[in-house]
Amino acid sequence: MAVAPGDIRFEVAGHLTGNFIGGQWVAAQSGQRRADVNPADFTDVLGEFAESGGADVDLAVEEARRALDGWRALGPVERAAFLTRALRILDERSGELAYAITREQGKLLKEAAGEVRRAEAVLEFTTGQARRLGGVTAPAEEERTFAYTFRRPIGVVGLISPWNFPLAIPMWKVAPALLAGCTAVLKPSPLTPLTSAVLVDVFRAAGLPNGVLNLVQGDAAAGEALVANPAVAGISFTGSLAIGTAIHAGGAHRLLRTQLELGGKNAVVVCDDADLDKAVEAVVHGAFGQAGQRCSATSRAVVDVRVREEFLERLVARVAHLRVGPGFDEASELCPVVDTGRMDAALAAIAGAQRDGGKVVCGGGRAERADLPDGCYLQPTVIRDVPWDAELAQEEVFGPVLAVVDAVDFDDAIRIANSVKYGMSGTVFTASQARAFEALDRFEAGMLHVNRPGVGAYAHLPHTGAKASQYGPPECSPEVFDFYTAWHSACISY
Ligand code: NAD
């Protein structure tokens, strides 16, 4: 599908609206379909995508099971050749993918292009791990004995992904799963079916053997069927805490292996010695980039009261001028949220924060401008004086809403930062080296930043959280293979 810049309402190739099972694009057996709507313009419907049920999932798992032995037998170096080809095709189709992401998820086109680059980085990094996927030799306790460890793929895996990074997150599951020798069934979010379809089509074009990677579109019914299928050896899930917990509990009776990447309520701590301009820029980027819809989004600024007024003045001056608009408009600085459900939840969170004593100093409602299409546009919202234990300071909103929470000093700020059940990212702005290291030591969070935005991740670093943000081995980084493979030991006497 060639997409010219500016040709926003491109046609979605018909076959991409189905499932991809056993190497074929097929319609869902359920016979049901769901409309994929552009959140920036409700009149723009991309297409009707498969809404699958248990029978579709079981078929896909069966195809993945059938493909397993052959795929595993290739070994990581040969498998990597498929990934290398996929990387080349991904690069050729990068424009198409960025357009698909913006059109169905809503983020700015430059944010979508950044996501494509991130997916490429993950694929490139993973491919390079092929020659490192070994074990260790170990001392033996008896003489004339050789002891070593090695990894085996765990088998068929189910990959369940959210809508906020519809390309990068499926990629950081698919790439290591395939390299490890697992075969997979991807069940993406029903809000972003096109991006995942193109992703799978990239691997098809790379010549992947039939059944190695399957795609089943749908929502809870498909996800539950994947968790329930006894041939599935592991589920890698990214999404909300509630669904992640349900998946873990649903598979516990058969000791299903799970990798859960969950929510966040991330704090940027602004100390009294911070560079306030840098802190403001980082908070604006972390809180309002992608309309706050990142697991590592900055949703709390925990600010020392001695610099609070100055920080707020500079922050509000900056945020008030952010231009809300469609992702395809180059003048837009803040994209719409993904759907009306998310928009209503953010508006309810703003109202709740005001009931709890918070004061809206910027935004606070829907963005209404004559030139905006009918879509999910919210004003960038800053709420000050939010008590540290108020719902807005404790629960994920996943929208462009920032809670500013007072701290009397550094210790108080760290206590507040750690007061939530989540622990995805933690960020501190300070001129003091000692405070920076102390914060790194004390933050109850997986991904830590000093004097820089609290968002962003490298393909070679673990994408990981503490507490209720994460369960199981991290994604990205070499450690991801601890999910997709099982360790074995062998002792050989001679
Ligand atoms: P969600 O939990 O609603 O859905 C995630 C996926 O689970 C979707 O594919 C959905 O169809 C599927 N699903 C829904 N019900 C299911 C069930 N009963 N059984 C199995 N699967 C089911 O999350 P979302 O709204 O798509 O994404 C937003 C959430 O994702 C936020 O909480 C965010 O913090 C989190 N997230 C986390 C990370 C991370 O790396 N930790 C990254 C991105 C997003």
Side-chain angles (χ1 to χ4, degrees), residues 325-378:
F328 285 117
D329 183 345
E330 281 185 4
S332 301
E333 296 170 294
L334 178 69
C335 65
V337 295
V338 73
D339 68 358
T340 51
R342 196 55 68 178
M343 185 162 65
D344 293 345
L347 292 170
I350 293 168
Q354 289 173 283
R355 281 196 299 276
D356 287 339
K359 297 181 191 66
V360 174
V361 288
C362 202
R366 292 184 68 163
E368 279 152 7
R369 233 182 27 234
D371 64 316
L372 284 179
D374 192 12
C376 300
Y377 298 100
L378 283 172

Side-chain angles (χ1 to χ4, degrees), residues 142-460:
E142 297 86 17
E143 54 183 42
R144 294 179 66 77
T145 300
F146 179 69
Y148 77 111
T149 65
F150 64 99
R151 295 173 185 266
R152 274 192 207 148
I154 60 172
V156 176
V157 289
L159 313 175
I160 303 179
S161 55
W163 46 264
N164 65 331
F165 284 96
L167 178 68
I169 291 177
M171 180 61 88
W172 74 45
K173 297 180 188 302
V174 167
L178 299 190
L179 188 82
C182 296
T183 56
V185 178
L186 172 63
K187 208 296 296 160
S189 168
L191 297 181
T192 51
L194 174 61
T195 307
S196 27
V198 178
L199 167 68
V200 167
D201 204 51
V202 163
F203 281 96
R204 178 203 58 74
L208 212 60
N210 293 346
V212 169
L213 176 61
N214 305 274
L215 172 73
V216 178
Q217 303 280 14
D219 198 5
E224 282 168 12
L226 203 47
V227 174
N229 191 307
V232 173
I235 294 278
S236 177
F237 168 84
T238 302
S240 59
L241 175 60
I243 306 288
T245 308
I247 287 173
H248 191 67
H253 70 98
R254 62 180 178 97
L255 303 179
L256 176 70
R257 183 182 282 221
T258 58
Q259 177 185 48
L260 309 174
E261 302 273 344
L262 308 168
K265 189 70 203 177
N266 310 293
V268 168
V269 168
V270 182
C271 296
D272 60 346
D273 60 352
D275 179 327
L276 292 185
D277 284 331
K278 274 196 183 148
V280 163
E281 273 318 300
V283 167
V284 169
H285 178 61
F288 303 111
Q290 289 197 193
Q293 301 169 116
R294 292 172 163 131
C295 59
S296 55
T298 302
S299 53
R300 294 178 295 157
V302 181
V303 185
D304 190 304
V305 286
R306 286 164 287 197
V307 293
R308 178 192 55 201
E309 296 307 320
E310 207 178 332
F311 173 81
L312 272 168
E313 199 178 305
R314 295 187 205 185
L315 179 72
V316 170
R318 179 79 175 77
V319 176
H321 291 108
L322 287 178
R323 185 179 169 83
V324 181
F328 285 117
D329 183 345
E330 281 185 4
S332 301
E333 296 170 294
L334 178 69
C335 65
V337 295
V338 73
D339 68 358
T340 51
R342 196 55 68 178
M343 185 162 65
D344 293 345
L347 292 170
I350 293 168
Q354 289 173 283
R355 281 196 299 276
D356 287 339
K359 297 181 191 66
V360 174
V361 288
C362 202
R366 292 184 68 163
E368 279 152 7
R369 233 182 27 234
D371 64 316
L372 284 179
D374 192 12
C376 300
Y377 298 100
L378 283 172
Q379 295 174 321
T381 298
V382 178
I383 307 182
R384 63 171 293 173
D385 301 341
V386 178
W388 69 269
D389 56 352
E391 196 170 333
L392 184 71
Q394 293 287 316
E395 296 298 331
E396 189 176 44
V397 176
F398 232 57
V401 182
L402 176 73
V404 180
V405 182
D406 292 350
V408 295
D409 56 19
F410 176 70
D411 278 341
D412 195 34
I414 295 292
R415 176 191 66 76
I416 292 168
N418 289 339
S419 68
V420 298
K421 61 176 171 274
Y422 295 114
M424 189 52 68
S425 78
T427 304
V428 64
F429 273 82
T430 177
S432 155
Q433 198 180 55
R435 271 185 183 165
F437 276 98
E438 198 173 331
L440 292 172
D441 197 39
R442 290 171 60 186
F443 269 136
E444 294 169 1
M447 294 181 288
L448 308 177
H449 302 271
V450 175
N451 295 331
R452 46 167 281 130
V455 293
Y458 299 158
H460 53 284

Side-chain angles (χ1 to χ4, degrees), residues 71-95:
W71 184 241
R72 192 182 140 187
L74 290 182
V77 175
E78 262 196 74
R79 289 195 291 267
F82 292 93
L83 272 61
T84 304
R85 279 202 291 280
L87 178 58
R88 205 166 47 237
I89 298 164
L90 187 70
D91 194 44
E92 285 163 12
R93 296 178 75 170
S94 57

